[in-house]
Amino acid sequence: MAGSERVAPAPTASARSTAPEAVKILIAGGFGVGKTTMVGSVSEIAPLRTEEPLTAAGLGVDDLAGIEEKRATTVALDFGRITIGRDLVLYLFGTPGQQRFWFMWNDLAIGALGAVVLVDVRRPESSFAAIDFFERRGIPFVVGVNGFHGRHPYPAAEIREALALPEHVQVLLCDARERTSSRDVLVALIDRLIDAATGAAAS
């Protein structure tokens, strides 16, 4: 009909099936463990960051022991994206690490299928809260031990014992600055999610 608008045909079932599955993943851990660094190193898009400079107002509030060189902190979230194979895209949400911003974790966790908890072996206690958060909510996670300056002074077995982690939680030594290393941690998490889904379907 003259003057009528053209309507695009609806996508076929085969076209819809080629769309990749999108999965929301959290990158969590204590203050200064490398969450922003991991999201930035692995993201295939320019990551969204909500960093602000550390100021004198944070003195006595933020514990900088072991991370005295830190100059900025995430105040809301980091966001990135990585494609894992043709059929899977991960949307990465880095959580804020400072205790006064932990109230945001509940909102960020909505819809998340899994998480990476980053640990700094110089300050393992800084990630206890993140481990407890995901255990209480039944969200599967893996632990990535971030080797600052490329160093890993302790084997994974010792770190597991120090963190009192159950056997089903995988502990991986990594370097958050390296894309391949960060990607390997995410792939391990996806394998964990697939195993959990397979086990649930079989039961």
Side-chain angles (χ1 to χ4, degrees), residues 69-92:
E69 73 281 0
K70 190 170 177 60
R71 296 291 178 266
T73 185
T74 298
V75 296
L77 58 88
D78 300 307
F79 174 77
R81 184 189 72 198
I82 179 173
T83 301
I84 305 289
R86 185 178 61 181
D87 302 322
L88 182 63
V89 174
L90 306 185
Y91 290 102
L92 310 175

PDB file of all heavy atoms in Angstrom, residues 69-92:
ATOM      1  N   GLU A  69      50.710   1.947  47.627  1.00  0.00           N
ATOM      2  CA  GLU A  69      50.848   2.633  46.339  1.00  0.00           C
ATOM      3  C   GLU A  69      49.508   2.899  45.659  1.00  0.00           C
ATOM      4  O   GLU A  69      49.444   3.593  44.647  1.00  0.00           O
ATOM      5  CB  GLU A  69      51.735   1.802  45.408  1.00  0.00           C
ATOM      6  CG  GLU A  69      51.097   0.541  44.838  1.00  0.00           C
ATOM      7  CD  GLU A  69      51.061  -0.636  45.814  1.00  0.00           C
ATOM      8  OE1 GLU A  69      51.534  -0.476  46.960  1.00  0.00           O
ATOM      9  OE2 GLU A  69      50.556  -1.712  45.436  1.00  0.00           O
ATOM     10  N   LYS A  70      48.412   2.381  46.210  1.00  0.00           N
ATOM     11  CA  LYS A  70      47.098   2.539  45.585  1.00  0.00           C
ATOM     12  C   LYS A  70      46.673   4.001  45.617  1.00  0.00           C
ATOM     13  O   LYS A  70      46.745   4.653  46.652  1.00  0.00           O
ATOM     14  CB  LYS A  70      46.065   1.657  46.293  1.00  0.00           C
ATOM     15  CG  LYS A  70      44.729   1.571  45.562  1.00  0.00           C
ATOM     16  CD  LYS A  70      43.854   0.496  46.173  1.00  0.00           C
ATOM     17  CE  LYS A  70      42.476   0.426  45.503  1.00  0.00           C
ATOM     18  NZ  LYS A  70      42.571   0.112  44.055  1.00  0.00           N
ATOM     19  N   ARG A  71      46.186   4.506  44.467  1.00  0.00           N
ATOM     20  CA  ARG A  71      45.827   5.916  44.355  1.00  0.00           C
ATOM     21  C   ARG A  71      44.355   6.159  44.028  1.00  0.00           C
ATOM     22  O   ARG A  71      43.877   7.287  44.117  1.00  0.00           O
ATOM     23  CB  ARG A  71      46.685   6.578  43.266  1.00  0.00           C
ATOM     24  CG  ARG A  71      48.181   6.602  43.597  1.00  0.00           C
ATOM     25  CD  ARG A  71      48.448   7.557  44.748  1.00  0.00           C
ATOM     26  NE  ARG A  71      49.859   7.574  45.131  1.00  0.00           N
ATOM     27  CZ  ARG A  71      50.383   6.834  46.092  1.00  0.00           C
ATOM     28  NH1 ARG A  71      49.613   6.021  46.807  1.00  0.00           N
ATOM     29  NH2 ARG A  71      51.664   6.891  46.381  1.00  0.00           N
ATOM     30  N   ALA A  72      43.633   5.103  43.614  1.00  0.00           N
ATOM     31  CA  ALA A  72      42.222   5.277  43.246  1.00  0.00           C
ATOM     32  C   ALA A  72      41.445   4.050  43.694  1.00  0.00           C
ATOM     33  O   ALA A  72      42.021   2.990  43.969  1.00  0.00           O
ATOM     34  CB  ALA A  72      42.078   5.485  41.740  1.00  0.00           C
ATOM     35  N   THR A  73      40.123   4.206  43.764  1.00  0.00           N
ATOM     36  CA  THR A  73      39.279   3.096  44.199  1.00  0.00           C
ATOM     37  C   THR A  73      37.956   3.111  43.443  1.00  0.00           C
ATOM     38  O   THR A  73      37.464   4.169  43.034  1.00  0.00           O
ATOM     39  CB  THR A  73      39.002   3.176  45.710  1.00  0.00           C
ATOM     40  OG1 THR A  73      38.266   2.012  46.117  1.00  0.00           O
ATOM     41  CG2 THR A  73      38.183   4.418  46.073  1.00  0.00           C
ATOM     42  N   THR A  74      37.381   1.913  43.255  1.00  0.00           N
ATOM     43  CA  THR A  74      36.073   1.787  42.614  1.00  0.00           C
ATOM     44  C   THR A  74      34.984   2.154  43.610  1.00  0.00           C
ATOM     45  O   THR A  74      34.932   1.605  44.712  1.00  0.00           O
ATOM     46  CB  THR A  74      35.866   0.342  42.115  1.00  0.00           C
ATOM     47  OG1 THR A  74      36.861   0.035  41.135  1.00  0.00           O
ATOM     48  CG2 THR A  74      34.484   0.171  41.492  1.00  0.00           C
ATOM     49  N   VAL A  75      34.104   3.057  43.210  1.00  0.00           N
ATOM     50  CA  VAL A  75      33.050   3.502  44.126  1.00  0.00           C
ATOM     51  C   VAL A  75      31.674   2.968  43.736  1.00  0.00           C
ATOM     52  O   VAL A  75      30.717   3.137  44.486  1.00  0.00           O
ATOM     53  CB  VAL A  75      33.003   5.047  44.201  1.00  0.00           C
ATOM     54  CG1 VAL A  75      34.297   5.593  44.789  1.00  0.00           C
ATOM     55  CG2 VAL A  75      32.748   5.657  42.825  1.00  0.00           C
ATOM     56  N   ALA A  76      31.545   2.342  42.586  1.00  0.00           N
ATOM     57  CA  ALA A  76      30.259   1.761  42.191  1.00  0.00           C
ATOM     58  C   ALA A  76      30.483   0.383  41.588  1.00  0.00           C
ATOM     59  O   ALA A  76      30.180  -0.634  42.202  1.00  0.00           O
ATOM     60  CB  ALA A  76      29.526   2.673  41.207  1.00  0.00           C
ATOM     61  N   LEU A  77      31.043   0.330  40.381  1.00  0.00           N
ATOM     62  CA  LEU A  77      31.285  -0.950  39.730  1.00  0.00           C
ATOM     63  C   LEU A  77      32.249  -0.759  38.571  1.00  0.00           C
ATOM     64  O   LEU A  77      32.496   0.354  38.117  1.00  0.00           O
ATOM     65  CB  LEU A  77      29.976  -1.571  39.219  1.00  0.00           C
ATOM     66  CG  LEU A  77      29.141  -0.753  38.211  1.00  0.00           C
ATOM     67  CD1 LEU A  77      29.569  -1.022  36.766  1.00  0.00           C
ATOM     68  CD2 LEU A  77      27.665  -1.057  38.356  1.00  0.00           C
ATOM     69  N   ASP A  78      32.806  -1.875  38.114  1.00  0.00           N
ATOM     70  CA  ASP A  78      33.512  -1.940  36.838  1.00  0.00           C
ATOM     71  C   ASP A  78      32.669  -2.812  35.921  1.00  0.00           C
ATOM     72  O   ASP A  78      31.966  -3.723  36.380  1.00  0.00           O
ATOM     73  CB  ASP A  78      34.896  -2.580  37.002  1.00  0.00           C
ATOM     74  CG  ASP A  78      35.785  -1.814  37.961  1.00  0.00           C
ATOM     75  OD1 ASP A  78      35.947  -0.600  37.768  1.00  0.00           O
ATOM     76  OD2 ASP A  78      36.316  -2.429  38.904  1.00  0.00           O
ATOM     77  N   PHE A  79      32.741  -2.562  34.621  1.00  0.00           N
ATOM     78  CA  PHE A  79      31.962  -3.373  33.685  1.00  0.00           C
ATOM     79  C   PHE A  79      32.794  -3.665  32.452  1.00  0.00           C
ATOM     80  O   PHE A  79      33.459  -2.775  31.906  1.00  0.00           O
ATOM     81  CB  PHE A  79      30.677  -2.651  33.263  1.00  0.00           C
ATOM     82  CG  PHE A  79      29.916  -3.392  32.192  1.00  0.00           C
ATOM     83  CD1 PHE A  79      29.160  -4.505  32.506  1.00  0.00           C
ATOM     84  CD2 PHE A  79      29.991  -2.997  30.861  1.00  0.00           C
ATOM     85  CE1 PHE A  79      28.479  -5.210  31.516  1.00  0.00           C
ATOM     86  CE2 PHE A  79      29.313  -3.682  29.866  1.00  0.00           C
ATOM     87  CZ  PHE A  79      28.554  -4.788  30.201  1.00  0.00           C
ATOM     88  N   GLY A  80      32.757  -4.913  32.027  1.00  0.00           N
ATOM     89  CA  GLY A  80      33.438  -5.318  30.809  1.00  0.00           C
ATOM     90  C   GLY A  80      32.710  -6.480  30.166  1.00  0.00           C
ATOM     91  O   GLY A  80      31.732  -7.017  30.718  1.00  0.00           O
ATOM     92  N   ARG A  81      33.198  -6.898  29.003  1.00  0.00           N
ATOM     93  CA  ARG A  81      32.563  -7.999  28.276  1.00  0.00           C
ATOM     94  C   ARG A  81      33.640  -8.832  27.593  1.00  0.00           C
ATOM     95  O   ARG A  81      34.614  -8.298  27.072  1.00  0.00           O
ATOM     96  CB  ARG A  81      31.608  -7.450  27.206  1.00  0.00           C
ATOM     97  CG  ARG A  81      30.816  -8.526  26.454  1.00  0.00           C
ATOM     98  CD  ARG A  81      30.071  -7.919  25.287  1.00  0.00           C
ATOM     99  NE  ARG A  81      30.994  -7.545  24.207  1.00  0.00           N
ATOM    100  CZ  ARG A  81      30.693  -6.689  23.224  1.00  0.00           C
ATOM    101  NH1 ARG A  81      29.519  -6.099  23.208  1.00  0.00           N
ATOM    102  NH2 ARG A  81      31.581  -6.419  22.283  1.00  0.00           N
ATOM    103  N   ILE A  82      33.435 -10.140  27.592  1.00  0.00           N
ATOM    104  CA  ILE A  82      34.340 -11.031  26.878  1.00  0.00           C
ATOM    105  C   ILE A  82      33.534 -12.160  26.244  1.00  0.00           C
ATOM    106  O   ILE A  82      32.606 -12.696  26.866  1.00  0.00           O
ATOM    107  CB  ILE A  82      35.438 -11.613  27.805  1.00  0.00           C
ATOM    108  CG1 ILE A  82      36.353 -12.560  27.024  1.00  0.00           C
ATOM    109  CG2 ILE A  82      34.852 -12.287  29.021  1.00  0.00           C
ATOM    110  CD1 ILE A  82      37.544 -13.054  27.804  1.00  0.00           C
ATOM    111  N   THR A  83      33.853 -12.484  25.006  1.00  0.00           N
ATOM    112  CA  THR A  83      33.205 -13.588  24.302  1.00  0.00           C
ATOM    113  C   THR A  83      34.010 -14.858  24.535  1.00  0.00           C
ATOM    114  O   THR A  83      35.213 -14.898  24.283  1.00  0.00           O
ATOM    115  CB  THR A  83      33.118 -13.300  22.800  1.00  0.00           C
ATOM    116  OG1 THR A  83      32.361 -12.092  22.603  1.00  0.00           O
ATOM    117  CG2 THR A  83      32.439 -14.440  22.061  1.00  0.00           C
ATOM    118  N   ILE A  84      33.333 -15.884  25.043  1.00  0.00           N
ATOM    119  CA  ILE A  84      33.954 -17.194  25.268  1.00  0.00           C
ATOM    120  C   ILE A  84      33.357 -18.160  24.247  1.00  0.00           C
ATOM    121  O   ILE A  84      32.270 -18.698  24.431  1.00  0.00           O
ATOM    122  CB  ILE A  84      33.695 -17.714  26.696  1.00  0.00           C
ATOM    123  CG1 ILE A  84      34.145 -16.705  27.732  1.00  0.00           C
ATOM    124  CG2 ILE A  84      34.362 -19.067  26.904  1.00  0.00           C
ATOM    125  CD1 ILE A  84      35.635 -16.532  27.859  1.00  0.00           C
ATOM    126  N   GLY A  85      34.038 -18.342  23.133  1.00  0.00           N
ATOM    127  CA  GLY A  85      33.471 -19.184  22.086  1.00  0.00           C
ATOM    128  C   GLY A  85      32.373 -18.459  21.329  1.00  0.00           C
ATOM    129  O   GLY A  85      32.019 -17.310  21.617  1.00  0.00           O
ATOM    130  N   ARG A  86      31.801 -19.158  20.348  1.00  0.00           N
ATOM    131  CA  ARG A  86      30.815 -18.525  19.468  1.00  0.00           C
ATOM    132  C   ARG A  86      29.474 -18.323  20.145  1.00  0.00           C
ATOM    133  O   ARG A  86      28.707 -17.434  19.773  1.00  0.00           O
ATOM    134  CB  ARG A  86      30.641 -19.400  18.218  1.00  0.00           C
ATOM    135  CG  ARG A  86      29.724 -18.805  17.159  1.00  0.00           C
ATOM    136  CD  ARG A  86      29.661 -19.704  15.954  1.00  0.00           C
ATOM    137  NE  ARG A  86      29.124 -21.019  16.291  1.00  0.00           N
ATOM    138  CZ  ARG A  86      28.983 -22.016  15.420  1.00  0.00           C
ATOM    139  NH1 ARG A  86      29.394 -21.857  14.183  1.00  0.00           N
ATOM    140  NH2 ARG A  86      28.499 -23.168  15.805  1.00  0.00           N
ATOM    141  N   ASP A  87      29.172 -19.134  21.156  1.00  0.00           N
ATOM    142  CA  ASP A  87      27.826 -19.149  21.719  1.00  0.00           C
ATOM    143  C   ASP A  87      27.707 -18.560  23.115  1.00  0.00           C
ATOM    144  O   ASP A  87      26.658 -18.656  23.735  1.00  0.00           O
ATOM    145  CB  ASP A  87      27.303 -20.597  21.762  1.00  0.00           C
ATOM    146  CG  ASP A  87      27.284 -21.238  20.392  1.00  0.00           C
ATOM    147  OD1 ASP A  87      26.967 -20.530  19.421  1.00  0.00           O
ATOM    148  OD2 ASP A  87      27.593 -22.445  20.290  1.00  0.00           O
ATOM    149  N   LEU A  88      28.783 -17.948  23.622  1.00  0.00           N
ATOM    150  CA  LEU A  88      28.742 -17.495  25.012  1.00  0.00           C
ATOM    151  C   LEU A  88      29.440 -16.163  25.177  1.00  0.00           C
ATOM    152  O   LEU A  88      30.598 -15.999  24.781  1.00  0.00           O
ATOM    153  CB  LEU A  88      29.407 -18.546  25.919  1.00  0.00           C
ATOM    154  CG  LEU A  88      29.411 -18.250  27.417  1.00  0.00           C
ATOM    155  CD1 LEU A  88      27.983 -18.189  27.963  1.00  0.00           C
ATOM    156  CD2 LEU A  88      30.214 -19.320  28.155  1.00  0.00           C
ATOM    157  N   VAL A  89      28.730 -15.208  25.772  1.00  0.00           N
ATOM    158  CA  VAL A  89      29.289 -13.894  26.098  1.00  0.00           C
ATOM    159  C   VAL A  89      29.153 -13.681  27.597  1.00  0.00           C
ATOM    160  O   VAL A  89      28.085 -13.895  28.173  1.00  0.00           O
ATOM    161  CB  VAL A  89      28.557 -12.765  25.336  1.00  0.00           C
ATOM    162  CG1 VAL A  89      29.053 -11.398  25.804  1.00  0.00           C
ATOM    163  CG2 VAL A  89      28.768 -12.908  23.837  1.00  0.00           C
ATOM    164  N   LEU A  90      30.253 -13.277  28.224  1.00  0.00           N
ATOM    165  CA  LEU A  90      30.230 -12.980  29.652  1.00  0.00           C
ATOM    166  C   LEU A  90      30.197 -11.480  29.862  1.00  0.00           C
ATOM    167  O   LEU A  90      31.002 -10.744  29.282  1.00  0.00           O
ATOM    168  CB  LEU A  90      31.466 -13.553  30.348  1.00  0.00           C
ATOM    169  CG  LEU A  90      31.769 -15.045  30.165  1.00  0.00           C
ATOM    170  CD1 LEU A  90      32.950 -15.438  31.035  1.00  0.00           C
ATOM    171  CD2 LEU A  90      30.548 -15.893  30.473  1.00  0.00           C
ATOM    172  N   TYR A  91      29.264 -11.033  30.695  1.00  0.00           N
ATOM    173  CA  TYR A  91      29.227  -9.640  31.129  1.00  0.00           C
ATOM    174  C   TYR A  91      29.809  -9.598  32.535  1.00  0.00           C
ATOM    175  O   TYR A  91      29.298 -10.240  33.456  1.00  0.00           O
ATOM    176  CB  TYR A  91      27.803  -9.103  31.090  1.00  0.00           C
ATOM    177  CG  TYR A  91      27.293  -8.934  29.684  1.00  0.00           C
ATOM    178  CD1 TYR A  91      26.416  -9.864  29.112  1.00  0.00           C
ATOM    179  CD2 TYR A  91      27.708  -7.856  28.902  1.00  0.00           C
ATOM    180  CE1 TYR A  91      25.974  -9.720  27.811  1.00  0.00           C
ATOM    181  CE2 TYR A  91      27.261  -7.702  27.599  1.00  0.00           C
ATOM    182  CZ  TYR A  91      26.402  -8.633  27.063  1.00  0.00           C
ATOM    183  OH  TYR A  91      25.978  -8.499  25.761  1.00  0.00           O
ATOM    184  N   LEU A  92      30.884  -8.860  32.682  1.00  0.00           N
ATOM    185  CA  LEU A  92      31.651  -8.846  33.924  1.00  0.00           C
ATOM    186  C   LEU A  92      31.341  -7.601  34.741  1.00  0.00           C
ATOM    187  O   LEU A  92      31.423  -6.476  34.232  1.00  0.00           O
ATOM    188  CB  LEU A  92      33.148  -8.888  33.607  1.00  0.00           C
ATOM    189  CG  LEU A  92      33.604  -9.984  32.635  1.00  0.00           C
ATOM    190  CD1 LEU A  92      35.085  -9.831  32.332  1.00  0.00           C
ATOM    191  CD2 LEU A  92      33.294 -11.366  33.195  1.00  0.00           C
TER     192      LEU A  92
END
